[in-house]
mmCIF file of all heavy atoms in Angstrom:
data_model
loop_
_atom_site.group_PDB
_atom_site.id
_atom_site.type_symbol
_atom_site.label_atom_id
_atom_site.label_comp_id
_atom_site.label_asym_id
_atom_site.label_seq_id
_atom_site.Cartn_x
_atom_site.Cartn_y
_atom_site.Cartn_z
ATOM 1 N N PRO A 755 179.255 113.451 72.215
ATOM 2 C CA PRO A 755 180.481 112.744 72.601
ATOM 3 C C PRO A 755 181.747 113.585 72.407
ATOM 4 O O PRO A 755 182.703 113.428 73.155
ATOM 5 C CB PRO A 755 180.475 111.523 71.688
ATOM 6 C CG PRO A 755 179.030 111.271 71.411
ATOM 7 C CD PRO A 755 178.416 112.645 71.327
ATOM 8 N N GLN A 756 181.780 114.465 71.415
ATOM 9 C CA GLN A 756 182.937 115.337 71.189
ATOM 10 C C GLN A 756 182.445 116.777 71.049
ATOM 11 O O GLN A 756 181.367 117.005 70.517
ATOM 12 C CB GLN A 756 183.642 114.966 69.881
ATOM 13 C CG GLN A 756 184.355 113.628 69.927
ATOM 14 C CD GLN A 756 184.850 113.212 68.578
ATOM 15 O OE1 GLN A 756 184.208 113.507 67.565
ATOM 16 N NE2 GLN A 756 185.973 112.525 68.541
ATOM 17 N N PRO A 757 183.247 117.738 71.474
ATOM 18 C CA PRO A 757 182.768 119.128 71.457
ATOM 19 C C PRO A 757 182.705 119.761 70.066
ATOM 20 O O PRO A 757 181.951 120.697 69.845
ATOM 21 C CB PRO A 757 183.772 119.858 72.357
ATOM 22 C CG PRO A 757 185.004 119.023 72.343
ATOM 23 C CD PRO A 757 184.543 117.605 72.152
ATOM 24 N N GLN A 758 183.516 119.269 69.100
ATOM 25 C CA GLN A 758 183.528 119.889 67.773
ATOM 26 C C GLN A 758 182.259 119.536 66.991
ATOM 27 O O GLN A 758 181.759 118.416 67.088
ATOM 28 C CB GLN A 758 184.734 119.419 66.941
ATOM 29 C CG GLN A 758 186.063 119.968 67.398
ATOM 30 C CD GLN A 758 186.648 119.180 68.564
ATOM 31 O OE1 GLN A 758 186.140 118.130 68.922
ATOM 32 N NE2 GLN A 758 187.718 119.705 69.148
ATOM 33 N N VAL A 759 181.780 120.486 66.207
ATOM 34 C CA VAL A 759 180.682 120.206 65.279
ATOM 35 C C VAL A 759 181.192 120.391 63.855
ATOM 36 O O VAL A 759 181.233 119.451 63.069
ATOM 37 C CB VAL A 759 179.475 121.120 65.540
ATOM 38 C CG1 VAL A 759 178.352 120.808 64.559
ATOM 39 C CG2 VAL A 759 178.986 120.964 66.980
ATOM 40 N N VAL A 760 181.591 121.630 63.545
ATOM 41 C CA VAL A 760 182.090 121.925 62.210
ATOM 42 C C VAL A 760 182.975 123.168 62.302
ATOM 43 O O VAL A 760 182.740 124.039 63.139
ATOM 44 C CB VAL A 760 180.917 122.138 61.208
ATOM 45 C CG1 VAL A 760 180.053 123.320 61.627
ATOM 46 C CG2 VAL A 760 181.405 122.308 59.777
ATOM 47 N N THR A 761 184.006 123.205 61.488
ATOM 48 C CA THR A 761 184.838 124.401 61.367
ATOM 49 C C THR A 761 184.901 124.754 59.891
ATOM 50 O O THR A 761 185.346 123.932 59.083
ATOM 51 C CB THR A 761 186.263 124.149 61.895
ATOM 52 O OG1 THR A 761 186.171 123.696 63.258
ATOM 53 C CG2 THR A 761 187.086 125.433 61.850
ATOM 54 N N ALA A 762 184.437 125.946 59.544
ATOM 55 C CA ALA A 762 184.422 126.358 58.136
ATOM 56 C C ALA A 762 185.428 127.471 57.928
ATOM 57 O O ALA A 762 185.536 128.384 58.749
ATOM 58 C CB ALA A 762 183.025 126.833 57.744
ATOM 59 N N ARG A 763 186.202 127.364 56.838
ATOM 60 C CA ARG A 763 187.231 128.370 56.519
ATOM 61 C C ARG A 763 186.707 129.280 55.418
ATOM 62 O O ARG A 763 186.214 128.801 54.387
ATOM 63 C CB ARG A 763 188.500 127.683 56.023
ATOM 64 C CG ARG A 763 188.981 126.545 56.896
ATOM 65 C CD ARG A 763 189.708 127.065 58.126
ATOM 66 N NE ARG A 763 189.964 125.959 59.064
ATOM 67 C CZ ARG A 763 190.424 126.135 60.285
ATOM 68 N NH1 ARG A 763 190.673 127.354 60.736
ATOM 69 N NH2 ARG A 763 190.631 125.102 61.075
ATOM 70 N N PHE A 764 186.858 130.560 55.637
ATOM 71 C CA PHE A 764 186.351 131.555 54.689
ATOM 72 C C PHE A 764 187.469 132.459 54.201
ATOM 73 O O PHE A 764 188.499 132.614 54.862
ATOM 74 C CB PHE A 764 185.306 132.457 55.357
ATOM 75 C CG PHE A 764 184.044 131.768 55.744
ATOM 76 C CD1 PHE A 764 183.975 131.020 56.901
ATOM 77 C CD2 PHE A 764 182.917 131.867 54.937
ATOM 78 C CE1 PHE A 764 182.795 130.387 57.259
ATOM 79 C CE2 PHE A 764 181.743 131.233 55.301
ATOM 80 C CZ PHE A 764 181.689 130.494 56.467
ATOM 81 N N GLY A 765 187.222 133.072 53.074
ATOM 82 C CA GLY A 765 188.069 134.160 52.609
ATOM 83 C C GLY A 765 187.150 135.246 52.075
ATOM 84 O O GLY A 765 185.925 135.078 52.080
ATOM 85 N N PRO A 766 187.725 136.336 51.586
ATOM 86 C CA PRO A 766 186.881 137.418 51.062
ATOM 87 C C PRO A 766 186.025 136.957 49.889
ATOM 88 O O PRO A 766 184.960 137.526 49.628
ATOM 89 C CB PRO A 766 187.890 138.491 50.651
ATOM 90 C CG PRO A 766 189.227 137.822 50.619
ATOM 91 C CD PRO A 766 189.152 136.677 51.565
ATOM 92 N N ARG A 767 186.443 135.919 49.184
ATOM 93 C CA ARG A 767 185.679 135.470 48.012
ATOM 94 C C ARG A 767 184.361 134.802 48.404
ATOM 95 O O ARG A 767 183.543 134.489 47.540
ATOM 96 C CB ARG A 767 186.522 134.501 47.175
ATOM 97 C CG ARG A 767 187.652 135.201 46.451
ATOM 98 C CD ARG A 767 188.292 134.317 45.430
ATOM 99 N NE ARG A 767 187.357 133.864 44.403
ATOM 100 C CZ ARG A 767 187.690 133.111 43.374
ATOM 101 N NH1 ARG A 767 188.937 132.719 43.235
ATOM 102 N NH2 ARG A 767 186.788 132.746 42.483
ATOM 103 N N ALA A 768 184.162 134.541 49.709
ATOM 104 C CA ALA A 768 182.874 133.965 50.123
ATOM 105 C C ALA A 768 181.751 134.969 49.930
ATOM 106 O O ALA A 768 180.591 134.586 49.757
ATOM 107 C CB ALA A 768 182.938 133.514 51.577
ATOM 108 N N GLY A 769 182.066 136.251 49.976
ATOM 109 C CA GLY A 769 181.026 137.255 49.772
ATOM 110 C C GLY A 769 180.244 137.553 51.045
ATOM 111 O O GLY A 769 180.075 138.696 51.425
ATOM 112 N N ARG A 770 179.775 136.537 51.689
ATOM 113 C CA ARG A 770 179.098 136.696 52.972
ATOM 114 C C ARG A 770 179.648 135.635 53.917
ATOM 115 O O ARG A 770 180.023 134.544 53.484
ATOM 116 C CB ARG A 770 177.582 136.489 52.841
ATOM 117 C CG ARG A 770 176.859 137.582 52.074
ATOM 118 C CD ARG A 770 175.351 137.588 52.376
ATOM 119 N NE ARG A 770 174.638 136.403 51.932
ATOM 120 C CZ ARG A 770 173.973 136.321 50.772
ATOM 121 N NH1 ARG A 770 173.959 137.347 49.942
ATOM 122 N NH2 ARG A 770 173.326 135.223 50.454
ATOM 123 N N ALA A 771 179.670 135.951 55.202
ATOM 124 C CA ALA A 771 180.109 134.963 56.194
ATOM 125 C C ALA A 771 178.887 134.223 56.705
ATOM 126 O O ALA A 771 178.274 134.603 57.696
ATOM 127 C CB ALA A 771 180.861 135.666 57.328
ATOM 128 N N GLU A 772 178.527 133.192 55.970
ATOM 129 C CA GLU A 772 177.325 132.428 56.298
ATOM 130 C C GLU A 772 177.622 130.945 56.169
ATOM 131 O O GLU A 772 178.307 130.520 55.242
ATOM 132 C CB GLU A 772 176.205 132.721 55.290
ATOM 133 C CG GLU A 772 175.452 133.990 55.536
ATOM 134 C CD GLU A 772 174.366 134.168 54.476
ATOM 135 O OE1 GLU A 772 174.027 133.195 53.755
ATOM 136 O OE2 GLU A 772 173.875 135.295 54.378
ATOM 137 N N LEU A 773 177.059 130.187 57.080
ATOM 138 C CA LEU A 773 177.204 128.742 57.027
ATOM 139 C C LEU A 773 175.909 128.131 57.548
ATOM 140 O O LEU A 773 175.442 128.485 58.623
ATOM 141 C CB LEU A 773 178.369 128.290 57.922
ATOM 142 C CG LEU A 773 178.460 126.786 58.215
ATOM 143 C CD1 LEU A 773 178.859 126.017 56.962
ATOM 144 C CD2 LEU A 773 179.457 126.522 59.338
ATOM 145 N N ALA A 774 175.327 127.224 56.767
ATOM 146 C CA ALA A 774 174.154 126.487 57.253
ATOM 147 C C ALA A 774 174.446 125.006 57.149
ATOM 148 O O ALA A 774 175.109 124.552 56.213
ATOM 149 C CB ALA A 774 172.914 126.854 56.441
ATOM 150 N N THR A 775 173.978 124.245 58.126
ATOM 151 C CA THR A 775 174.163 122.803 58.091
ATOM 152 C C THR A 775 173.087 122.143 58.943
ATOM 153 O O THR A 775 172.212 122.817 59.495
ATOM 154 C CB THR A 775 175.597 122.427 58.559
ATOM 155 O OG1 THR A 775 175.811 121.027 58.349
ATOM 156 C CG2 THR A 775 175.832 122.752 60.015
ATOM 157 N N HIS A 776 173.117 120.815 58.990
ATOM 158 C CA HIS A 776 172.249 120.045 59.877
ATOM 159 C C HIS A 776 173.148 119.316 60.869
ATOM 160 O O HIS A 776 174.043 118.590 60.455
ATOM 161 C CB HIS A 776 171.444 118.990 59.089
ATOM 162 C CG HIS A 776 170.504 119.567 58.066
ATOM 163 N ND1 HIS A 776 169.995 118.809 57.030
ATOM 164 C CD2 HIS A 776 169.962 120.798 57.921
ATOM 165 C CE1 HIS A 776 169.188 119.557 56.285
ATOM 166 N NE2 HIS A 776 169.163 120.769 56.803
ATOM 167 N N MET A 777 172.927 119.517 62.161
ATOM 168 C CA MET A 777 173.784 118.858 63.149
ATOM 169 C C MET A 777 173.014 117.867 64.002
ATOM 170 O O MET A 777 171.794 117.758 63.911
ATOM 171 C CB MET A 777 174.489 119.886 64.053
ATOM 172 C CG MET A 777 173.616 120.494 65.128
ATOM 173 S SD MET A 777 174.574 121.459 66.360
ATOM 174 C CE MET A 777 175.498 120.154 67.197
ATOM 175 N N ARG A 778 173.761 117.134 64.810
ATOM 176 C CA ARG A 778 173.183 116.183 65.754
ATOM 177 C C ARG A 778 173.325 116.720 67.165
ATOM 178 O O ARG A 778 174.345 117.327 67.497
ATOM 179 C CB ARG A 778 173.942 114.857 65.695
ATOM 180 C CG ARG A 778 173.713 114.072 64.450
ATOM 181 C CD ARG A 778 174.668 112.890 64.406
ATOM 182 N NE ARG A 778 174.276 111.952 63.356
ATOM 183 C CZ ARG A 778 175.120 111.168 62.702
ATOM 184 N NH1 ARG A 778 176.411 111.183 63.003
ATOM 185 N NH2 ARG A 778 174.683 110.349 61.777
ATOM 186 N N LEU A 779 172.318 116.468 67.981
ATOM 187 C CA LEU A 779 172.395 116.842 69.382
ATOM 188 C C LEU A 779 172.012 115.639 70.220
ATOM 189 O O LEU A 779 170.893 115.128 70.110
ATOM 190 C CB LEU A 779 171.417 117.989 69.677
ATOM 191 C CG LEU A 779 171.840 119.368 69.200
ATOM 192 C CD1 LEU A 779 170.660 120.321 69.251
ATOM 193 C CD2 LEU A 779 172.968 119.886 70.076
ATOM 194 N N ALA A 780 172.931 115.188 71.062
ATOM 195 C CA ALA A 780 172.649 114.010 71.886
ATOM 196 C C ALA A 780 171.624 114.324 72.965
ATOM 197 O O ALA A 780 170.861 113.463 73.374
ATOM 198 C CB ALA A 780 173.937 113.493 72.523
ATOM 199 N N THR A 781 171.625 115.581 73.408
ATOM 200 C CA THR A 781 170.700 115.963 74.475
ATOM 201 C C THR A 781 170.595 117.491 74.514
ATOM 202 O O THR A 781 171.260 118.180 73.752
ATOM 203 C CB THR A 781 171.198 115.404 75.831
ATOM 204 O OG1 THR A 781 170.232 115.722 76.840
ATOM 205 C CG2 THR A 781 172.535 116.002 76.226
#
Side-chain angles (χ1 to χ4, degrees):
Chain A
Q756 290 171 326
Q758 288 82 9
V759 180
V760 61
T761 304
R763 311 282 171 189
F764 293 80
R767 289 192 60 178
R770 291 199 295 264
E772 280 180 15
L773 167 70
T775 188
H776 297 161
M777 77 169 292
R778 289 171 168 151
L779 284 166
T781 184

